[in-house]
Amino acid sequence: MWTEEIVAGRPAWVHTMSGVVFREVPGGTFRMGLSDAELNAVRAIERSGGGEDTLEPFFASAGDAQPVREVRVEPFLIARHPLTVAQVRHWLPEYEDFYADSHSGTARLEDDLDDLLEALPFRLPSEAEWEYAARAGTTTLTFHGDEKPGEDQLLDDFGDKERTAAGENAFGLTAMGSAGEICADVWIPGFAGAPADARPRTGDGPRTVRGGAADLYPWQGCDEWLLLLSATRYEHDQFTAVRPAAPLPSHGPRL
């Protein structure tokens, strides 16, 4: 089911049948949620004139990503980037996408979402796993730092190998935050009572989505860059991208 390869100079696990590239994310602990330091960084961007519109709605909803807490994450695999149109068609041959411009573009699913999730031999990442993977050891607004993210950080098509590789974080993952990616957790505002490990929170209702800055491209000057932040989270509605996760495979000697 798996082969070990070097992709863009880094070890990777490739799902043999579909060709989806996964990176191994090391285990560890991190501070999950929107910290005071990150809020202050957004306020600094606002004071410098970097906010195109009022940032009050963002600050008013900050509690949805708080309180910050330490979370323990076990090693796992996660796809290098969200599934593309071509990759989704491996499981759903009749899939049509009205948002992507090419087969190598991010697939955004609506009515086909449940069918894909049922067909995938993988699982969705939990919110904790997603944020841990997006931060890749950093504590800043994005893995690039606390500066205002720009449109140059968007990556929505993976046909250009060099550009895809250039967008990777320290874990070898790219486009974290570009598309809205559905997680395993049910949507619950805030992290009060959330587990100290990376288990998803379950229950009835819509799931949680992370990212989504490219879903609104071309940007309309409404501070869409906030969707690139590692801590940004919201309730699933309409279409979504899928970045699958999986347990570590059993394997022999490493590359």
Side-chain angles (χ1 to χ4, degrees), residues 23-42:
R23 299 292 195 192
E24 182 174 328
V25 175
T29 59
F30 79 114
R31 300 283 290 173
M32 180 177 178
L34 188 61
S35 69
D36 289 342
E38 289 171 291
L39 284 171
N40 288 336
V42 175

Side-chain angles (χ1 to χ4, degrees), residues 76-112:
F76 66 103
L77 297 184
I78 191 168
R80 185 189 184 205
H81 54 71
L83 295 179
T84 65
V85 173
Q87 290 169 344
V88 168
R89 286 176 180 160
H90 173 78
W91 289 283
L92 303 180
E94 304 302 318
Y95 173 69
E96 295 292 337
D97 195 289
F98 302 103
Y99 303 102
D101 294 327
S102 71
H103 294 174
S104 56
T106 298
R108 289 174 171 81
L109 295 108
E110 295 184 277
D111 297 337
D112 293 319

Side-chain angles (χ1 to χ4, degrees), residues 33-34 39 43 54-67 187-191 226-227 229 231-235:
L34 188 61
L39 284 171
R43 290 190 179 98
T54 176
L55 297 185
E56 284 309 310
F58 171 79
F59 293 119
S61 65
D64 287 345
Q66 294 175 329
W187 169 253
I188 301 173
F191 295 131
L226 292 165
L227 292 169
L229 307 190
T232 298
R233 60 189 299 267
Y234 55 96
E235 183 178 342

Side-chain angles (χ1 to χ4, degrees), residues 66-67 69 188-197 199-201:
Q66 294 175 329
R69 72 197 197 287
I188 301 173
F191 295 131
D197 58 24
R199 287 174 298 162
R201 292 188 286 178

Side-chain angles (χ1 to χ4, degrees), residues 30-31 33 72 82 107 125 131 138 169 183 185 198 209 228 233:
F30 79 114
R31 300 283 290 173
R72 183 181 69 258
E131 186 173 327
T138 65
N169 65 17
C183 296
D185 302 60
V209 172
L228 281 168
R233 60 189 299 267

